[in-house]
Amino acid sequence: MADELLQRLQRFREQTFPGIRTRFQDLVREGQHPTILFIGCSDSRLVPYMLTGTGPGELFIVRNVGAFVPPHDGSAGYHGTAAAIEFAVLNLNVAHIVVCGHSHCGGIRALYDGAPAQATNLAAWLELGREAVLPVQVSPEALRRTEQRAVVLQLERLMDYPMVRERVEANRLALHGWHYVIEEGEVHVFDVRRGGFIPSSQSEHSGTGPHLPAEDAMGAFFNEIDDAFGPR
């Protein structure tokens, strides 16, 4: 039986790497200086480099089930995601943090359906998205809304990281909420002023964080439940 993974490694070394050798050598010599921390779901259909048109050295990537952000205070345990956020902000001085959820997310669906009995770590991890769940029957519309609400929840949680809040308030760091609709090939970006997610093809910016200065605030978006999603 052919070892497909080995064949892929060999193709990379023999066919791909020669064309980008200089770029990687520069990154080794000069170090990495990514400007974007990309926190995305582990789903195989989400490909950060394709979405952003970036290459080696441009994204610092964290991926996990649901694109969740643990609380900074360690109340949900200590996780690699929290460590990566601290490293990206304090060591790499990134200028942007993107939280990217997506359509048809299995992690979001599991918030309604539950995790397999043996998946104890998964069950605990999913609780980081619990506040995004709507009190309704599961439907495609409710799942889409929950996926977007989960993105905003993580943006809120990022603001509890002191180094993040300090830089956001000093305009040294920007937060961006994204929801990638796989079947449409379009990222919907969170616009706090408009109180929702806007297709990137119709947006004037690449997404915002969860807060505005006090004089611009329009009220909470995340805790709002549309009439259409009321109890049935």
Side-chain angles (χ1 to χ4, degrees), residues 9-87:
L9 292 174
Q10 292 171 342
R11 282 198 299 271
F12 170 76
R13 171 64 181 169
E14 297 167 4
Q15 300 175 23
T16 305
F17 186 72
I20 54 176
R21 182 191 304 272
T22 300
R23 175 58 177 158
F24 278 105
Q25 290 176 340
D26 289 344
L27 286 169
V28 170
R29 182 173 58 255
E30 301 170 5
Q32 64 164 332
H33 300 286
T35 59
I36 303 167
L37 167 60
F38 187 99
I39 303 174
C41 184
S42 299
D43 193 292
S44 62
R45 298 165 294 184
L46 176 63
V47 187
Y49 288 110
M50 292 181 68
L51 288 182
T52 58
T54 52
E58 297 183 75
L59 294 180
F60 191 71
I61 298 177
V62 177
R63 302 189 67 168
N64 60 54
V65 175
F68 292 161
V69 172
H72 177 264
D73 62 10
S75 58
Y78 294 98
H79 301 280
T81 296
I85 292 167
E86 293 175 348
F87 186 85

Side-chain angles (χ1 to χ4, degrees), residues 1-227:
M1 182 177 178
D3 189 333
E4 182 181 351
L5 284 176
L6 177 60
Q7 292 175 351
R8 293 186 181 199
L9 292 174
Q10 292 171 342
R11 282 198 299 271
F12 170 76
R13 171 64 181 169
E14 297 167 4
Q15 300 175 23
T16 305
F17 186 72
I20 54 176
R21 182 191 304 272
T22 300
R23 175 58 177 158
F24 278 105
Q25 290 176 340
D26 289 344
L27 286 169
V28 170
R29 182 173 58 255
E30 301 170 5
Q32 64 164 332
H33 300 286
T35 59
I36 303 167
L37 167 60
F38 187 99
I39 303 174
C41 184
S42 299
D43 193 292
S44 62
R45 298 165 294 184
L46 176 63
V47 187
Y49 288 110
M50 292 181 68
L51 288 182
T52 58
T54 52
E58 297 183 75
L59 294 180
F60 191 71
I61 298 177
V62 177
R63 302 189 67 168
N64 60 54
V65 175
F68 292 161
V69 172
H72 177 264
D73 62 10
S75 58
Y78 294 98
H79 301 280
T81 296
I85 292 167
E86 293 175 348
F87 186 85
V89 174
L90 296 173
N91 292 68
L92 298 176
N93 294 305
V94 296
H96 306 271
I97 300 179
V98 172
V99 176
C100 186
H102 64 92
S103 61
H104 311 288
C105 181
I108 296 300
R109 179 74 193 220
L111 285 170
Y112 291 93
D113 296 344
Q118 291 182 313
T120 54
N121 288 288
L122 175 60
W125 177 259
L126 289 174
E127 290 304 307
L128 294 175
R130 181 63 58 190
E131 292 178 58
V133 171
L134 290 160
V136 297
Q137 295 295 318
V138 179
S139 68
E141 186 180 11
L143 290 171
R144 180 73 59 91
R145 177 69 169 172
T146 305
E147 291 160 357
Q148 294 178 344
R149 287 165 60 88
V151 168
V152 180
L153 174 60
Q154 312 319 311
L155 294 173
E156 292 274 5
R157 205 169 277 145
L158 277 170
M159 289 294 289
D160 289 333
Y161 284 65
M163 71 291 299
V164 171
R165 177 174 288 276
E166 174 187 346
R167 285 162 174 75
V168 168
E169 293 179 346
N171 293 319
R172 295 166 52 199
L173 176 64
L175 305 186
H176 309 266
W178 292 1
H179 180 253
Y180 174 44
V181 182
I182 297 170
E183 62 272 32
E184 297 176 1
E186 178 146 50
V187 173
H188 293 231
V189 302
F190 179 60
D191 187 329
V192 69
R193 284 185 169 84
R194 297 173 68 174
F197 285 78
I198 311 300
S200 56
S201 59
Q202 302 172 24
S203 179
E204 298 177 351
H205 55 72
S206 57
T208 68
H211 299 293
L212 287 171
E215 62 271 19
D216 295 330
M218 296 175 62
F221 162 78
F222 176 75
N223 290 320
E224 166 267 329
I225 297 179
D226 294 340
D227 291 342

